Amino acid sequence: MGAGALAPAAALDYLDAMGSSSFAAPAKLLVRPISSRFAECLRSDANIAIDVDRARTQHRGYVEALERLGLVVESVEADDDAPDACFLEDTAVVMDARSLATMPGAPARRREVEPVTRAVRRLTHVTDVIEMQLPATLDGGDVLRVGEHLFVGLSSRTNAAGAAALELAAKGSGIRVVRLTVRDGLHLKSACTLASAGLLVYDARVLGDEELACFLGIGLRVMPAPEAAGANVLALGGAVLVSLAAPKTAELLRAEGLDVHVVDVGEMHKADGALTCLSLRIPRAGCWST
Ligand code: GLY
């Protein structure tokens, strides 16, 4: 184990916790171009200026990093009138052949769902799309897949009815929904993500003992990320993307033996976005992706 990672005190059999399917790089990732109105995107600090051209360059770098790993990337049609459209992870939760089309918590983002739903139907093996209805709201950034578990963060965007709708959508799939509270920041995955099938990185300022116990309880190891931007990494089979803004996290993950790829998403961080938000991962049949 690398320095800084905690192991579960009484480890469950990790394979039991993961269920019968195995962790693998996704069959495909969907991405969505940066809107020409990206500078108008929702963000906690509207005074921070966003450079749309630089964001486009960084988005290309993100896609190229995925393609260098041999992954298949396809683009959903652009929508220049949807400033946050590049963060398409928020609009769908894909579970095997079933997908939930979400109801984003921010009304301004709800127009983003329909084009992504169409692309999911057209470009993937998903056959069953379930549509969420108000008053339920949920952003995909609040949903973390870990084996046969979906951790859902109750946040400023995702409400209790949204978590219940996710649970209903997962019914019969063998996937268990576990609710957590997001005390600070935008989404659950702003505060924690998987670096590999067995290792969670997290922001210690947001996640406390109660939340960590849920992850330790299914046999994950947990590691505090030295930088806030290090809590959102993107695990793709044996490789992991880490933000350029998190060099110490990258170093710790290299020490874990992971194949770390550093990507500059600085303009997306200004928009409260990060690595996972920029793609929708479509798992391989019989496998899970995060
Ligand atoms: N800018 C990402 C969001 O607020 O949804």
Side-chain angles (χ1 to χ4, degrees):
M1 185 194 310
L6 280 181
L12 295 179
D13 182 331
Y14 186 62
L15 290 177
D16 280 354
M18 294 297 104
S20 54
S21 65
S22 54
F23 177 67
K28 179 180 285 190
L29 297 95
L30 303 185
V31 297
R32 205 160 183 208
I34 300 286
S35 158
S36 56
R37 291 176 54 193
F38 183 53
E40 297 166 47
C41 68
L42 300 176
R43 54 193 187 275
S44 45
D45 187 350
N47 292 322
I48 299 182
I50 288 183
D51 183 326
V52 178
D53 287 338
R54 189 178 301 151
R56 287 211 167 104
T57 302
Q58 292 176 353
H59 193 263
R60 267 198 302 280
Y62 177 83
V63 171
E64 283 164 11
L66 298 173
E67 289 176 340
R68 271 198 301 277
L69 290 169
L71 297 166
V72 176
V73 183
E74 292 200 60
S75 192
V76 178
E77 69 194 64
D79 180 358
D80 277 333
D81 289 326
D84 283 286
C86 61
F87 300 127
L88 76 170
E89 175 185 62
D90 291 322
T91 59
V93 179
V94 179
M95 300 165 267
D96 311 317
R98 189 181 303 174
S99 179
L100 176 67
T102 69
M103 180 66 69
R109 296 200 56 194
R110 291 179 189 156
R111 63 178 286 146
E112 298 170 30
V113 176
E114 210 260 319
V116 176
T117 303
R118 262 188 282 123
V120 165
R121 288 188 200 276
R122 190 167 57 85
L123 299 173
T124 78
H125 64 276
V126 169
T127 50
D128 185 14
V129 177
I130 298 164
E131 293 183 4
M132 189 176 275
Q133 306 296 334
L134 286 170
T137 66
L138 179 139
D139 283 11
D142 278 318
V143 181
L144 173 65
R145 176 91 187 248
V146 185
E148 302 309 307
H149 293 80
L150 281 178
F151 290 91
V152 57
L154 300 172
S155 70
S156 59
R157 297 284 177 85
T158 296
N159 62 19
L166 179 69
E167 195 161 46
L168 195 62
K171 206 169 173 186
S173 66
I175 295 173
R176 195 176 144 226
V177 171
V178 180
R179 293 161 174 78
L180 299 174
T181 301
V182 181
R183 295 179 217 285
D184 196 15
L186 183 57
H187 289 134
L188 176 66
K189 282 190 282 195
S190 313
C192 64
T193 45
L194 287 185
S196 69
L199 178 64
L200 181 100
V201 287
Y202 70 97
D203 184 339
R205 290 165 308 174
V206 182
L207 254 59
D209 290 347
E210 198 181 313
E211 292 81 29
L212 292 178
C214 295
F215 294 116
L216 290 165
I218 63 161
L220 284 179
R221 290 187 298 122
V222 298
M223 186 180 88
E227 304 96 348
N232 185 284
V233 299
L234 179 54
L236 300 157
V240 59
L241 301 194
V242 180
S243 168
L244 181 66
K248 291 180 184 159
T249 305
E251 209 41 59
L252 286 174
L253 295 179
R254 279 191 200 101
E256 286 281 338
L258 295 175
D259 178 22
V260 172
H261 298 257
V262 173
V263 181
D264 185 3
V265 285
E267 295 307 301
M268 289 67 164
H269 288 327
K270 293 179 186 173
D272 301 323
L275 293 159
T276 61
C277 329
L278 289 171
S279 60
L280 187 62
R281 276 79 60 200
I282 312 299
R284 285 168 206 272
C287 296
W288 66 276
S289 301
T290 190

